Amino acid sequence: CGPSLPLTRASRNIEMPAPAKKGAVVKGKAGQKGKKSTLKFYLDCTTAETDSILDVGNFEKYLKENIKVQGKAGNLGDAVVVGKEKSKITVTSEMAFSKRYLKYLAKKYLKKHQMRDFLRVVSTNKSTYELKYYNIQENDADEDSE
């Protein structure tokens, strides 16, 4: 290798920080304690319920039974609250909860009730999913021309 530089007394006394251990708690947002953040997610089932395809009460019951908290389904306790307002389902969580997990459960429910071919779960904003119909006007136009 190349020539080595002589070490001076000042450069030998520099203290290096200890390497962080894997899985160690890092100060910052994750380490802050104090006020609990609540997460609110909405599932808007307006279009499906107005056409009498979907029963929102049944969907709400399904979510209550199948949302997993600490690895156990139906173990909501005070951490997760599932509620219903007209044709909207509200999921409020005081712990880490993924919006994507809500989409997964909604798609699973639709598949179980054979509605997955007609409805899809679409995100409309940061905290809301909406059940919408697939656009199938192109297929209808093809059938009319034959």
Side-chain angles (χ1 to χ4, degrees):
C1 296
S4 62
L5 297 172
L7 294 175
T8 61
R9 183 173 285 215
S11 65
R12 279 184 270 161
N13 292 334
I14 296 174
E15 291 184 27
M16 296 296 290
K21 293 181 183 177
K22 198 171 190 179
V25 177
V26 179
K27 290 182 182 177
K29 290 184 179 179
Q32 290 178 351
K33 291 187 178 179
K35 80 172 194 179
K36 290 184 178 180
S37 63
T38 56
L39 301 169
K40 269 194 170 187
F41 298 109
Y42 303 97
L43 273 164
D44 188 4
C45 311
T46 309
T47 55
E49 189 173 44
T50 54
D51 293 341
S52 302
I53 293 179
L54 183 80
D55 180 24
V56 178
N58 193 14
F59 189 24
E60 177 194 17
K61 181 182 172 194
Y62 176 83
L63 289 174
K64 285 181 181 177
E65 292 172 353
N66 288 293
I67 289 178
K68 285 187 179 181
V69 177
Q70 297 176 348
K72 293 181 181 177
N75 182 30
L76 298 182
D78 295 334
V80 179
V81 178
V82 179
K84 172 180 87 156
E85 300 169 17
K86 296 181 184 176
S87 58
K88 273 192 177 183
I89 295 176
T90 307
V91 179
T92 308
S93 175
E94 293 179 2
M95 55 180 278
F97 193 85
S98 171
K99 182 181 167 194
R100 187 78 176 91
Y101 180 57
L102 204 58
K103 182 176 183 177
Y104 163 77
L105 288 172
K107 289 169 75 173
K108 194 173 171 184
Y109 176 82
L110 292 174
K111 184 71 173 174
K112 183 179 176 184
H113 291 84
Q114 286 109 27
M115 291 185 272
R116 186 84 174 86
D117 296 334
F118 313 110
L119 295 169
R120 63 186 185 145
V121 185
V122 179
S123 177
T124 53
N125 63 36
K126 191 176 180 182
S127 63
T128 306
Y129 277 118
E130 187 175 341
L131 297 180
K132 290 187 175 183
Y133 287 107
Y134 283 107
N135 289 336
I136 50 175
Q137 281 108 19
E138 295 173 17
N139 295 342
D140 292 342
D142 294 339
E143 291 173 8
D144 293 340
S145 63
E146 290 179 11

